[in-house]
Amino acid sequence: MVLLRPLVLLLALLVSDLYCLSWFIDVSESQGPGATLKSFSFNCSSYIATLELLHVQPPTTFFNPPSLTRWQRTYVGKMTLSSSARLDALTVNHYELQLRFTCGNHVTEGRLSVDIQRDPNRDQCAGRFASPAGEIIQVQETVTPGTPLYTLLLPGQGAQMNITSAQDPPYFPGPFSIDGQGQLWAPSQGLKGQAQKVFQLQILVTFGQGRSCRGMLTVKVLPVPSSQVSFPQQAQNITIPENLVPGSKVAQVHAQGFDVRYEIVSPVPCRLFSIGRVDGVVRTTAPLELAQAPDAAVTRLRVKAFERLRPWDSAELDFRVDVQSVNRWPPRCLPALLVTQIPETTLVGTVVNTFTCTDPDSPGSTLDYQLLFHSPASASSLCLRDRVLEVNDTLDCDVPGACLQHTASILVLDSGQPLMATEVPVLVMVTPVNEFSPTCVSRTFRVREDARPHTLLGSVVGTDLDYPHDSIEYSTSGGSAPFAVDRLNGEVRLLGPLDYELQKSYRLTVLLTDHSQDQDPTCHRSGSCTITIEVEDVNDHAPECEPPFQELTIYAHLGRSLEVTTVSCRVAQEPQRLAFSYRIVGGNSQSRFSLQGAVLVHNDLMLGSPWPEQPHTYELLIRVADAGPSAPHLSTTATVIVHIVPWRASTGATSTHRTTVPSRMTPLLVTDTEVFWQPEPWFVVVLTVTGALLLLGLGWFLSWLLRRLTQVLQTSSKPTQALLLNSIQGTKGSIEGFVEAPRMETPQAPSSVTSLVCQPTILRTGRDYLFNTHTGARRWL
């Protein structure tokens, strides 16, 4: 038992925890005294709680006061049937119990509706029909022959009823009959003249399977009623609302007469209404819910008034009771709250949601739907067709402020009185969709080749039709160009040095990728454009002359111009640059030299200038500058040393000796891979012996050739050598005036041989002579 108590408590908590509302329970009429009808659970931890039964409609003693027990912090209340409870669905099928729960200062009231259900297995005769006196009915002697007099109501269906008592004449004018529906029919001969007679009828009720019961009906025949009992009012129509609780007053009838009693004679039985036998007040006996009982809308009542001591003295009144529908509940909708999101690409006419609403007061009635916008107030993006919410206009999130949250309400109105409405909040969020790819316009930027790193060249301006329009990231694809594009603003900047001579232009592909333009953060679109960067030439390399230093010896002729040399200059980094300007900036004393383009010319046409008797040396500085359109103009200086030897009449020829100094020596590292052959040892021996024999033969031949040559020379040069030796010794001091041979072109030799190098030869005679540069004298050999 200890283990079962928590289970019972848990069941009680599950069954009844909404104690502030109404409860509806169904109870079988077979329930006897002490049966539990309902369990309640209440939370009251700080006070002592009480549970009271305030009243019961219709009044009865069938219900015990509720019991209340405490389990920890929870109170459990129970409603049970009293010892006098005799439930009969045919007599009263509905009870209303008003309960009050008190917990400290908190008081809660609730209503318990008890519906009495018929028990099909309750096959027994009950009531006054089964009592020894039986059921007594009174009929007038003027009743129509063969009409129903009374309807016997018994539990169960399919029962057979038979009158088992004797109905022998002359006491009986004719036999009474009863059918399977329990209706007692008057004799076909009628009851005329049978006033004040009492007919007792024994009735056998058979339910099948051997079950049966007996009862008695006593029929009293009344004489024709007098006119003393009457209703002063005429027939009337009464309209009542459907929300009247059972026991509510509907109307009150009043008949004239002595000690009048009232009863409802039609319909019998009357399920919805009852009348007070003494006061004539018509009251409701069951809820008049038209939704559950549509036939309760119109009820025609026939009320009979009669004297208590003279029941045959009676009068009847017919009136109609109309139950008017009361609009107590607003429409109920599903869903009660709509929160949804749709993409901006949703087509016009797309169904957002369909609302299903019903009126609890009048199921199946027509409801009115209205769409009320809150934000934005005049939105036309959505529309309501009947009860279907649809997209009414193009949803576009690509305009600032267009992609909004549409807040609205669906107002549902019923057709009852008073008019009641239900408001369904609606929140429709339009989500962006990345529809378009970013684009940019191809552009051309120009930059000087001497621009410093991080120089701003320009900006790539990307556009995107999706909102926000500037949610674009920039990047470059491939390549090793010395440029970079800022990821956020598209600025193109220089990263490294440029060289016009190496590359004059660059083509850079800029990739554009959008972001934050779709509900899905991983959804991106990309585009690209090509920008051209042209490098502007900057004159950053000075000309270089090859060689940068020259030393020349010329023989000048009086009155003649002589080309000395050509200054050869170029820009190694810019081989296409060929325009240079030349100018002598130093060493041109007496202006004996001039430049004709790159050609250095010696002029002896100067009048009045003394003819130099002795050799003279000029160190000329020639400034070479580039003459192209590029700025700035850079220059270099070439040095030309000219040794001028005056030409005399005895001079046989003019020669120019040039000495050059290389501009610079650049070491060159050459890597050479040799492929060698390794022969067999026997081949090496044979090759060595053969080579040695060849060398010996060659050596012998050369030695023989030299001996022969020596003999020939000795024979032909002995007289000439003697004369030359004497002349050299006599003129040793004058030989120093001869022109010295260039040091770079002729190898150094002994002094005696050097003086013989410059021996001119007269072509006419073929004889050799020595020329003295100081005196101009010749000595023939």
Side-chain angles (χ1 to χ4, degrees), residues 30 234 336 467 472 515 697:
S30 62
Q234 299 297 323
Y467 183 80
I472 301 176
H515 61 88

Side-chain angles (χ1 to χ4, degrees), residues 456-609:
L456 176 62
L457 308 185
S459 298
V460 178
V461 180
T463 58
D464 196 338
L465 297 180
D466 293 309
Y467 183 80
H469 305 298
D470 56 351
S471 296
I472 301 176
E473 291 186 357
Y474 302 85
S475 62
T476 57
S477 64
S480 57
F483 304 97
V485 178
D486 190 276
R487 184 176 64 89
L488 299 179
N489 54 28
E491 293 181 349
V492 182
R493 294 185 179 271
L494 178 64
L495 293 182
L498 300 173
D499 194 341
Y500 176 82
E501 289 73 25
L502 295 180
Q503 190 168 352
K504 297 179 178 59
S505 65
Y506 297 85
R507 291 178 66 84
L508 196 64
T509 300
V510 179
L511 299 179
L512 291 78
T513 305
D514 56 17
H515 61 88
S516 304
Q517 294 176 334
D518 195 279
Q519 182 72 7
D520 182 7
T522 62
C523 180
H524 304 285
R525 286 181 175 266
S526 60
S528 65
C529 62
T530 302
I531 62 173
T532 302
I533 301 175
E534 296 181 353
V535 181
E536 295 180 349
D537 188 18
V538 176
N539 194 12
D540 54 351
H541 298 287
E544 297 179 0
C545 297
E546 296 181 359
F549 176 81
Q550 299 184 50
E551 186 175 1
L552 307 171
T553 301
I554 65 173
Y555 295 92
H557 295 267
L558 181 63
R560 296 176 59 185
S561 296
L562 180 65
E563 291 185 2
V564 179
T565 186
T566 299
V567 181
S568 177
C569 299
R570 66 187 183 92
V571 179
Q573 295 80 4
E574 304 178 44
Q576 77 281 359
R577 192 185 299 276
L578 301 175
F580 301 100
S581 64
Y582 303 87
R583 186 164 60 92
I584 301 174
V585 296
N588 189 15
S589 61
Q590 300 177 358
S591 302
R592 290 187 178 274
F593 295 89
S594 64
L595 288 170
Q596 296 178 1
V599 179
L600 178 63
V601 180
H602 176 256
N603 300 313
D604 273 347
L605 301 177
M606 300 295 295
L607 298 177
S609 300

Side-chain angles (χ1 to χ4, degrees), residues 13 64 76 123 149 158 167 238 267 287 296 303 317-318 335 392 439 442 460 508 511 515 518 532 545 594 761 776 781:
L13 292 174
N64 285 325
V76 178
D123 298 334
L149 303 179
Q167 303 184 59
I238 302 173
V303 178
L317 175 67
D318 294 327
N392 188 48
T439 59
S442 298
V460 178
L508 196 64
L511 299 179
H515 61 88
D518 195 279
T532 302
C545 297
S594 64
T761 301
L781 299 178

Side-chain angles (χ1 to χ4, degrees), residues 138-194:
Q138 296 177 347
V139 296
Q140 295 179 359
E141 63 177 344
T142 59
V143 66
T144 303
T147 58
L149 303 179
Y150 178 77
T151 300
L152 179 62
L153 297 179
L154 293 175
Q157 296 180 355
Q160 295 182 359
M161 303 181 189
N162 298 307
I163 299 176
T164 59
S165 59
Q167 303 184 59
D168 299 332
Y171 189 78
F172 283 85
F176 292 85
S177 62
I178 188 170
D179 58 16
Q181 303 299 325
Q183 289 186 335
L184 180 66
W185 297 82
S188 58
Q189 294 81 4
L191 298 177
K192 192 66 173 178
Q194 304 297 323

